[in-house]
């Protein structure tokens, strides 16, 4: 055979080898795609098409991983920060939990971001212990903020589903067959009873689920008890809150950028300044407002029928410590606590009622008052009119701050407090508002010197810095107990003396 014939034969062999390689690669890729679809659609696809029976196999087991970003104690965080890429550790997916499915649970959360966050943790736990399939929760779009964000717009939905697969099966939506059942009326919708233990769900909710196959729970805030629950339930609530509910990559990236900018300029305090129009109207707190502003806030309160309390004595409420502190009052507290005036004060809040006029006392005392809008003036355009996504950014910055100070004990204040405890009891100043307003009034009317004011504020808050403690239990008064998500002590590394209690 001539040289030309040999060359032609070699070219044909090379083309055959290339074709075989391409075909093999195509088959492998399509296999991965089908297995991924099986994972996404669960029992609707995997058993009938692949016969996987809930077992991950082939390329998926090797290539699909969860990027686990562990929440570290301060000493660990410093060590990890020293190594540039040590923040993300690739771990294989947890094994899928196989159980007899008792039905499908749909959930509609209510309230702001952190109220919904706690509700999601509770409902995942309920689904796990009822052996049901959870549909990705629906977020509130009808509250005061009217945020149209879906779960996937705020949280990493794929990570949420995959990271909890060893506890509960979660689907993004009902199958077409079940959707049709719902459309035909085979659905029960109800709010669960507040502050219930798990026996309520076993005895009252599970029979309804088995009857209807699909149950819709609405108004899901504060539906699990703070105390008296088995340890594994409390641990699962923490796992969902501190691991599974990861924000979307876009939110996390912006949050890291904000923190980086702040860190470049030194220490920073996050002030959750709840002096916003909705909070003042809801609480009826009008201290420092003009008569016209007080009337405006009252009209707003009456405009929302689900805000049940209408006639409110603002002076009495403030005296009882039930009002958010004003910017002027919090400026006095920061000075009394010897917060350096050159520290950055990051405002984690919406628009402050009264604007710059109301903020003047604070900005005069602390000239480095900043907000996410000033730090990233062009980076937030896609987040505008999405209050929950903006709140998610504030949440991330609040976790990373040197000091966190909420001026009112709302849901964000409580959930951030608990998360900072989990991160190693980071300093969180829990203000005694009842004492503070009394001291402020005495100082202003001249019966208390600044030295005495400052020393009283310091002395009264030495034990209110987020140090380890046990939750307060008040039998038969769950609303008055310490909130689980503010101090999930079952999940925390407690000192030996507390662990022995």
């Amino acid at each position: 055979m001539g040289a030309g014939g040999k060359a032609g034969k070699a070219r044909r062999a090379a083309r055959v080898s290339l074709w075989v390689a391409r075909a093999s690669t195509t088959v492998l890729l399509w296999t991965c795609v089908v297995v991924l679809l099986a994972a996404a659609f669960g029992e609707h696809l995997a058993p009938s098409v692949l016969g996987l029976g809930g077992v991950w196999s082939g390329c998926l087991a090797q290539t699909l991983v969860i990027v686990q970003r562990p929440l570290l104690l301060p000493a660990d965080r410093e060590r990890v920060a020293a190594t540039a890429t040590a923040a993300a550790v690739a771990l294989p997916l947890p094994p899928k939990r196989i159980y007899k499915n008792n039905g499908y649970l749909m959930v509609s959360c209510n309230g702001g971001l952190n109220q919904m966050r706690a509700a999601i943790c509770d409902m995942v736990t309920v689904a796990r212990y009822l052996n049901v399939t959870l549909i990705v929760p629906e977020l509130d779009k009808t509250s005061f903020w009217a945020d149209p964000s879906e779960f996937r717009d705020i949280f990493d939905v794929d990570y949420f589903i995959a990271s909890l697969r060893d506890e509960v099966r979660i689907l993004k939506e009902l199958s077409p067959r079940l959707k049709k059942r719902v459309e035909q009326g085979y659905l029960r919708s109800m709010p669960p009873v507040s502050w219930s233990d798990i026996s309520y769900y076993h005895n009252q909710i599970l029979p309804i689920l088995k009857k209807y196959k699909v149950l819709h729970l609405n108004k899901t805030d504060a539906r699990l008890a703070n105390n008296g629950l088995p340890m594994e339930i409390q641990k699962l609530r923490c796992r969902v809150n501190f691991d599974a509910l990861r924000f979307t990559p876009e939110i996390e990236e912006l949050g890291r950028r904000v923190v980086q900018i702040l860190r470049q300029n030194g220490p920073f305090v996050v002030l959750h300044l709840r002096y916003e129009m909705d909070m003042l109207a809801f609480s009826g707190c009008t201290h420092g407002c003009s008569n016209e502003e007080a009337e405006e806030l009252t009209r707003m309160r009456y405009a929302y029928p689900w805000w049940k309390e209408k006639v409110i004595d603002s002076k009495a409420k403030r005296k009882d410590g039930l009002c958010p502190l004003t910017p002027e009052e919090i400026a006095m507290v920061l000075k009394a606590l010897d917060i350096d005036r050159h520290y950055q004060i990051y405002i984690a809040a919406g628009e402050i009622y009264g604007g710059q006029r109301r903020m003047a006392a604070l900005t005069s005392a602390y000239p480095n008052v900043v907000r996410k809008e000033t730090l990233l003036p062009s980076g937030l355009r896609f987040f505008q009119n999405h209050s929950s996504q903006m709140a998610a950014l504030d949440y991330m910055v609040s976790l990373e701050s040197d000091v966190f100070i909420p001026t009112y004990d709302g849901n964000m204040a409580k959930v951030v407090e608990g998360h900072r405890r989990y991160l190693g009891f980071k300093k969180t100043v829990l203000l005694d508002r009842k004492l503070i307003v009394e001291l402020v009034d005495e100082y202003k009317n001249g019966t208390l010197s600044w030295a005495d004011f400052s020393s009283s504020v310091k002395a009264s808050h030495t034990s209110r810095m987020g140090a380890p403690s046990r939750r307060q239990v008040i039998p038969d008064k769950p609303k008055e107990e310490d909130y689980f998500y503010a101090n999930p002590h079952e999940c925390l590394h407690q000192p030996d003396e507390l662990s022995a209690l």
Side-chain angles (χ1 to χ4, degrees), residues 216-227:
H216 175 230
L217 294 182
N218 52 46
K219 298 180 181 178
T220 52
D221 61 316
R223 302 300 154 162
L224 264 183
N226 291 313
N227 301 295

Side-chain angles (χ1 to χ4, degrees), residues 325 329-330 332-334 336-338 403-407 427-440 453-467:
L325 296 181
E329 290 167 341
I330 196 63
M332 295 177 64
V333 170
L334 296 181
L337 291 173
D338 292 333
V403 184
F404 176 66
I405 306 178
T407 63
K427 184 172 289 186
T428 302
V429 183
L430 307 172
L431 298 175
D432 184 342
R433 294 188 303 278
K434 183 175 181 179
L435 175 64
I436 286 172
V437 298
E438 179 182 338
L439 294 174
V440 166
F453 175 87
S454 181
S455 62
S456 295
V457 171
K458 288 189 184 77
S460 61
H461 288 85
T462 53
S463 60
R464 300 174 67 91
M465 299 286 182

